Amino acid sequence: MKTLSLKNSLLAVFVKVLGYDMPLAQGRLRNRFLKVVEEKVLELDKNRVDICEKFAEKDADGNSKMEDNKYIFPAGEVKVFQELADLYNEDCNIDFLPSLVSDIGGIKHLIDLSTVSLSVIETAQIEAILEAFSTIQDTPQEPPLPQVEGKLA
């Protein structure tokens, strides 16, 4: 198995850059990969919401206060931003099962073919993603159990 290691902060632009119309075979390749990445994105978003809920101002019923669909934090609260920064700087490991290892080169190629418009920052993030692809590691496997020979009494 091969493992692609990225920072959580790169997941959104990774999904964005692959969001263009493409022929069926390429689309199937993308969708196999995005199925795995989508789980990571959902987990990241859940953790983000949990952090925001933890630090947000609460109303009389104990519900988090929001304005324009954004959490409201107490004035001077910096811990929420520290925890969010820590969350987005965590490594996200994406495992390619042996049956999908051959997809790695195809995904890199789809990034190169992308027609999605990106900001300067997003372009730099894509460079970081492509760099991560060039350093994909084999996932360590558990060593096989030793074979014991002998007679049972």
Side-chain angles (χ1 to χ4, degrees), residues 5-25:
S5 185
L6 301 171
K7 297 294 182 192
N8 280 332
S9 60
L10 299 176
L11 291 176
V13 73
F14 199 176
V15 171
K16 179 180 178 177
V17 79
L18 294 174
Y20 62 95
D21 292 340
M22 57 186 71
L24 177 63

Side-chain angles (χ1 to χ4, degrees), residues 36-93:
V36 174
V37 173
E38 185 177 86
E39 293 172 16
K40 304 289 185 179
V41 170
L42 291 174
E43 179 183 343
L44 175 63
D45 195 54
K46 179 196 174 306
N47 292 336
R48 179 193 61 81
V49 169
D50 289 347
I51 291 170
C52 290
E53 288 283 336
K54 176 179 166 183
F55 290 101
E57 288 184 8
K58 307 291 189 237
D59 62 18
D61 295 327
N63 298 317
S64 296
K65 289 183 179 179
M66 297 184 87
E67 186 176 296
D68 295 327
N69 210 22
K70 295 178 184 174
Y71 287 95
I72 300 172
F73 301 106
E77 178 60 68
V78 295
K79 289 181 184 176
V80 63
F81 302 109
Q82 176 78 43
E83 286 197 27
L84 288 170
D86 290 346
L87 174 65
Y88 282 97
N89 282 318
E90 286 179 10
D91 286 334
C92 173
N93 293 319

Side-chain angles (χ1 to χ4, degrees), residues 66-122:
M66 297 184 87
E67 186 176 296
D68 295 327
N69 210 22
K70 295 178 184 174
Y71 287 95
I72 300 172
F73 301 106
E77 178 60 68
V78 295
K79 289 181 184 176
V80 63
F81 302 109
Q82 176 78 43
E83 286 197 27
L84 288 170
D86 290 346
L87 174 65
Y88 282 97
N89 282 318
E90 286 179 10
D91 286 334
C92 173
N93 293 319
I94 301 169
D95 294 324
F96 286 88
L97 298 173
S99 60
L100 299 178
V101 167
S102 62
D103 289 354
I104 295 170
I107 295 297
K108 280 182 66 175
H109 186 65
L110 292 179
I111 292 170
D112 288 336
L113 294 176
S114 182
T115 57
V116 175
S117 296
L118 299 172
S119 70
V120 173
I121 292 172
E122 290 170 327

Side-chain angles (χ1 to χ4, degrees), residues 125-141:
Q125 290 174 321
I126 292 301
E127 290 301 323
I129 291 168
L130 290 171
E131 176 66 26
F133 266 99
S134 68
T135 60
I136 286 181
Q137 301 292 319
D138 285 321
T139 305
Q141 301 294 320

